[in-house]
Short mmCIF file of all heavy atoms in Angstrom, two decimals:
data_model
loop_
_atom_site.label_atom_id
_atom_site.label_comp_id
_atom_site.label_asym_id
_atom_site.label_seq_id
_atom_site.Cartn_x
_atom_site.Cartn_y
_atom_site.Cartn_z
N THR A 136 -205.78 -161.44 44.05
CA THR A 136 -206.75 -160.45 44.45
C THR A 136 -208.09 -160.64 43.75
O THR A 136 -209.16 -160.55 44.36
CB THR A 136 -206.22 -159.04 44.13
OG1 THR A 136 -204.99 -158.81 44.85
CG2 THR A 136 -207.24 -157.96 44.56
N LEU A 137 -208.06 -160.93 42.45
CA LEU A 137 -209.26 -161.05 41.68
C LEU A 137 -210.07 -162.24 42.03
O LEU A 137 -211.32 -162.17 42.06
CB LEU A 137 -208.86 -161.07 40.19
CG LEU A 137 -208.32 -159.75 39.59
CD1 LEU A 137 -207.78 -160.00 38.19
CD2 LEU A 137 -209.45 -158.71 39.55
N VAL A 138 -209.37 -163.39 42.32
CA VAL A 138 -210.18 -164.61 42.63
C VAL A 138 -210.82 -164.55 44.00
O VAL A 138 -211.78 -165.27 44.30
CB VAL A 138 -209.28 -165.87 42.54
CG1 VAL A 138 -208.87 -166.12 41.09
CG2 VAL A 138 -208.11 -165.80 43.47
N GLN A 139 -210.27 -163.68 44.89
CA GLN A 139 -210.84 -163.54 46.23
C GLN A 139 -211.83 -162.38 46.32
O GLN A 139 -212.55 -162.23 47.29
CB GLN A 139 -209.72 -163.33 47.25
CG GLN A 139 -208.76 -164.49 47.35
CD GLN A 139 -207.61 -164.20 48.25
OE1 GLN A 139 -207.64 -163.29 49.14
NE2 GLN A 139 -206.50 -164.91 48.07
N GLN A 140 -211.87 -161.59 45.24
CA GLN A 140 -212.73 -160.38 45.22
C GLN A 140 -214.19 -160.77 45.11
O GLN A 140 -214.60 -161.61 44.32
CB GLN A 140 -212.33 -159.50 44.02
CG GLN A 140 -213.09 -158.17 43.95
CD GLN A 140 -212.51 -157.26 42.85
OE1 GLN A 140 -211.35 -157.00 42.87
NE2 GLN A 140 -213.38 -156.88 41.91
N ILE A 141 -214.97 -160.15 45.97
CA ILE A 141 -216.42 -160.43 45.99
C ILE A 141 -217.16 -159.12 45.75
O ILE A 141 -216.81 -158.07 46.31
CB ILE A 141 -216.86 -161.06 47.34
CG1 ILE A 141 -216.13 -162.39 47.58
CG2 ILE A 141 -218.40 -161.29 47.35
CD1 ILE A 141 -216.41 -163.01 48.94
N GLY A 142 -218.19 -159.17 44.96
CA GLY A 142 -219.03 -157.96 44.73
C GLY A 142 -218.57 -157.23 43.45
O GLY A 142 -218.08 -157.85 42.51
N SER A 143 -218.82 -155.96 43.45
CA SER A 143 -218.54 -155.15 42.24
C SER A 143 -217.08 -154.92 42.01
O SER A 143 -216.26 -155.09 42.92
CB SER A 143 -219.31 -153.82 42.36
OG SER A 143 -218.78 -153.10 43.49
N ILE A 144 -216.77 -154.51 40.83
CA ILE A 144 -215.39 -154.24 40.41
C ILE A 144 -214.98 -152.79 40.70
O ILE A 144 -215.90 -151.91 40.85
CB ILE A 144 -215.15 -154.53 38.92
CG1 ILE A 144 -216.13 -153.74 38.05
CG2 ILE A 144 -215.29 -156.03 38.65
CD1 ILE A 144 -215.95 -153.93 36.56
N THR A 145 -213.71 -152.51 40.81
CA THR A 145 -213.28 -151.11 41.02
C THR A 145 -213.29 -150.33 39.75
O THR A 145 -213.46 -150.86 38.65
CB THR A 145 -211.84 -151.11 41.57
OG1 THR A 145 -210.92 -151.65 40.59
CG2 THR A 145 -211.77 -152.01 42.85
N SER A 146 -213.06 -149.03 39.83
CA SER A 146 -213.07 -148.14 38.67
C SER A 146 -211.95 -148.57 37.73
O SER A 146 -212.13 -148.57 36.49
CB SER A 146 -212.93 -146.72 39.10
OG SER A 146 -213.97 -146.30 39.88
N ALA A 147 -210.76 -148.87 38.31
CA ALA A 147 -209.62 -149.28 37.49
C ALA A 147 -209.94 -150.55 36.71
O ALA A 147 -209.64 -150.71 35.54
CB ALA A 147 -208.37 -149.43 38.33
N GLN A 148 -210.58 -151.50 37.42
CA GLN A 148 -210.94 -152.76 36.78
C GLN A 148 -211.99 -152.54 35.72
O GLN A 148 -211.98 -153.28 34.71
CB GLN A 148 -211.42 -153.74 37.86
CG GLN A 148 -210.38 -154.22 38.79
CD GLN A 148 -210.85 -154.93 40.02
OE1 GLN A 148 -212.07 -155.00 40.24
NE2 GLN A 148 -209.98 -155.57 40.78
N ALA A 149 -212.88 -151.62 35.91
CA ALA A 149 -213.86 -151.28 34.90
C ALA A 149 -213.21 -150.80 33.61
O ALA A 149 -213.60 -151.20 32.50
CB ALA A 149 -214.87 -150.28 35.41
N VAL A 150 -212.20 -149.97 33.80
CA VAL A 150 -211.45 -149.50 32.61
C VAL A 150 -210.71 -150.65 31.93
O VAL A 150 -210.74 -150.76 30.67
CB VAL A 150 -210.42 -148.41 33.06
CG1 VAL A 150 -209.51 -148.02 31.88
CG2 VAL A 150 -211.12 -147.19 33.59
N ILE A 151 -210.08 -151.51 32.75
CA ILE A 151 -209.36 -152.64 32.18
C ILE A 151 -210.31 -153.56 31.40
O ILE A 151 -210.04 -153.98 30.27
CB ILE A 151 -208.65 -153.46 33.29
CG1 ILE A 151 -207.47 -152.65 33.90
CG2 ILE A 151 -208.13 -154.80 32.80
CD1 ILE A 151 -206.33 -152.45 32.97
N GLY A 152 -211.44 -153.88 32.00
CA GLY A 152 -212.43 -154.76 31.38
C GLY A 152 -213.02 -154.16 30.12
O GLY A 152 -213.24 -154.83 29.11
N GLY A 153 -213.32 -152.83 30.18
CA GLY A 153 -213.87 -152.14 29.03
C GLY A 153 -212.86 -152.18 27.87
O GLY A 153 -213.29 -152.40 26.70
N LEU A 154 -211.58 -151.89 28.17
CA LEU A 154 -210.56 -152.01 27.11
C LEU A 154 -210.51 -153.38 26.52
O LEU A 154 -210.31 -153.54 25.29
CB LEU A 154 -209.21 -151.57 27.69
CG LEU A 154 -209.01 -150.04 27.94
CD1 LEU A 154 -207.67 -149.81 28.67
CD2 LEU A 154 -209.02 -149.30 26.58
N ALA A 155 -210.57 -154.40 27.39
CA ALA A 155 -210.48 -155.78 26.94
C ALA A 155 -211.61 -156.08 25.89
O ALA A 155 -211.36 -156.68 24.84
CB ALA A 155 -210.64 -156.76 28.08
N ILE A 156 -212.80 -155.61 26.18
CA ILE A 156 -213.93 -155.82 25.23
C ILE A 156 -213.66 -155.15 23.94
O ILE A 156 -213.84 -155.75 22.84
CB ILE A 156 -215.24 -155.30 25.88
CG1 ILE A 156 -215.62 -156.16 27.11
CG2 ILE A 156 -216.37 -155.35 24.84
CD1 ILE A 156 -216.72 -155.54 27.94
N LEU A 157 -213.23 -153.90 23.99
CA LEU A 157 -213.01 -153.12 22.72
C LEU A 157 -211.82 -153.77 21.94
O LEU A 157 -211.86 -153.81 20.73
CB LEU A 157 -212.64 -151.67 23.07
CG LEU A 157 -213.83 -150.87 23.72
CD1 LEU A 157 -213.33 -149.45 24.09
CD2 LEU A 157 -214.97 -150.78 22.77
N LEU A 158 -210.76 -154.22 22.62
CA LEU A 158 -209.66 -154.82 21.92
C LEU A 158 -210.04 -156.13 21.24
O LEU A 158 -209.64 -156.40 20.12
CB LEU A 158 -208.54 -155.11 22.93
CG LEU A 158 -207.75 -153.86 23.45
CD1 LEU A 158 -206.87 -154.21 24.60
CD2 LEU A 158 -206.96 -153.19 22.35
N VAL A 159 -210.92 -156.91 21.86
CA VAL A 159 -211.40 -158.17 21.32
C VAL A 159 -212.24 -157.87 20.07
O VAL A 159 -212.10 -158.50 19.03
CB VAL A 159 -212.17 -158.97 22.33
CG1 VAL A 159 -212.96 -160.10 21.64
CG2 VAL A 159 -211.21 -159.56 23.37
N ILE A 160 -213.10 -156.88 20.18
CA ILE A 160 -213.97 -156.53 19.06
C ILE A 160 -213.15 -156.07 17.83
O ILE A 160 -213.33 -156.49 16.68
CB ILE A 160 -214.93 -155.38 19.45
CG1 ILE A 160 -215.99 -155.92 20.46
CG2 ILE A 160 -215.62 -154.81 18.24
CD1 ILE A 160 -216.95 -156.92 19.90
N GLU A 161 -212.12 -155.23 18.08
CA GLU A 161 -211.30 -154.71 16.99
C GLU A 161 -210.46 -155.81 16.41
O GLU A 161 -210.25 -155.88 15.21
CB GLU A 161 -210.43 -153.55 17.50
CG GLU A 161 -209.36 -153.09 16.53
CD GLU A 161 -209.86 -152.54 15.19
OE1 GLU A 161 -211.09 -152.38 15.05
OE2 GLU A 161 -209.11 -152.37 14.27
N ALA A 162 -209.82 -156.66 17.23
CA ALA A 162 -209.01 -157.75 16.72
C ALA A 162 -209.87 -158.72 15.88
O ALA A 162 -209.38 -159.22 14.87
CB ALA A 162 -208.37 -158.53 17.87
N THR A 163 -211.08 -158.97 16.32
CA THR A 163 -211.97 -159.82 15.55
C THR A 163 -212.34 -159.25 14.23
O THR A 163 -212.38 -159.94 13.18
CB THR A 163 -213.27 -160.19 16.37
OG1 THR A 163 -212.89 -160.69 17.66
CG2 THR A 163 -214.13 -161.17 15.65
N ARG A 164 -212.59 -157.97 14.19
CA ARG A 164 -212.88 -157.26 12.93
C ARG A 164 -211.74 -157.41 11.95
O ARG A 164 -211.99 -157.65 10.82
CB ARG A 164 -213.20 -155.80 13.21
CG ARG A 164 -213.60 -155.03 11.95
CD ARG A 164 -213.61 -153.54 12.25
NE ARG A 164 -212.27 -152.97 12.41
CZ ARG A 164 -211.39 -152.69 11.40
NH1 ARG A 164 -211.76 -152.87 10.16
NH2 ARG A 164 -210.24 -152.21 11.72
N ARG A 165 -210.54 -157.32 12.44
CA ARG A 165 -209.39 -157.40 11.54
C ARG A 165 -209.13 -158.81 11.08
O ARG A 165 -208.89 -159.06 9.86
CB ARG A 165 -208.13 -156.90 12.26
CG ARG A 165 -208.15 -155.42 12.59
CD ARG A 165 -206.77 -154.98 13.07
NE ARG A 165 -206.76 -153.59 13.58
CZ ARG A 165 -205.67 -152.93 13.79
NH1 ARG A 165 -204.46 -153.45 13.58
NH2 ARG A 165 -205.73 -151.65 14.27
N ALA A 166 -209.20 -159.74 11.98
CA ALA A 166 -208.79 -161.14 11.67
C ALA A 166 -209.88 -161.97 11.09
O ALA A 166 -209.57 -162.93 10.33
CB ALA A 166 -208.22 -161.81 12.92
N ILE A 167 -211.13 -161.63 11.40
CA ILE A 167 -212.26 -162.50 11.01
C ILE A 167 -213.20 -161.79 10.03
O ILE A 167 -213.67 -162.39 9.08
CB ILE A 167 -213.08 -163.00 12.22
CG1 ILE A 167 -212.15 -163.77 13.23
CG2 ILE A 167 -214.23 -163.90 11.76
CD1 ILE A 167 -211.48 -164.99 12.58
N GLY A 168 -213.39 -160.53 10.23
CA GLY A 168 -214.32 -159.81 9.36
C GLY A 168 -215.47 -159.21 10.11
O GLY A 168 -215.61 -159.35 11.33
N LEU A 169 -216.39 -158.61 9.37
CA LEU A 169 -217.49 -157.87 9.97
C LEU A 169 -218.68 -158.69 10.48
O LEU A 169 -219.28 -158.34 11.48
CB LEU A 169 -218.04 -156.84 8.98
CG LEU A 169 -217.20 -155.60 8.82
CD1 LEU A 169 -217.78 -154.69 7.72
CD2 LEU A 169 -217.13 -154.79 10.13
#
Side-chain angles (χ1 to χ4, degrees):
T136 302
L137 290 169
V138 294
Q139 295 175 25
Q140 183 172 304
I141 299 174
S143 61
I144 57 176
T145 66
S146 298
Q148 289 168 350
V150 173
I151 291 291
L154 285 173
I156 295 169
L157 295 176
L158 289 169
V159 166
I160 292 293
E161 171 59 11
T163 305
R164 183 191 69 81
R165 294 189 187 195
I167 302 301
L169 283 175

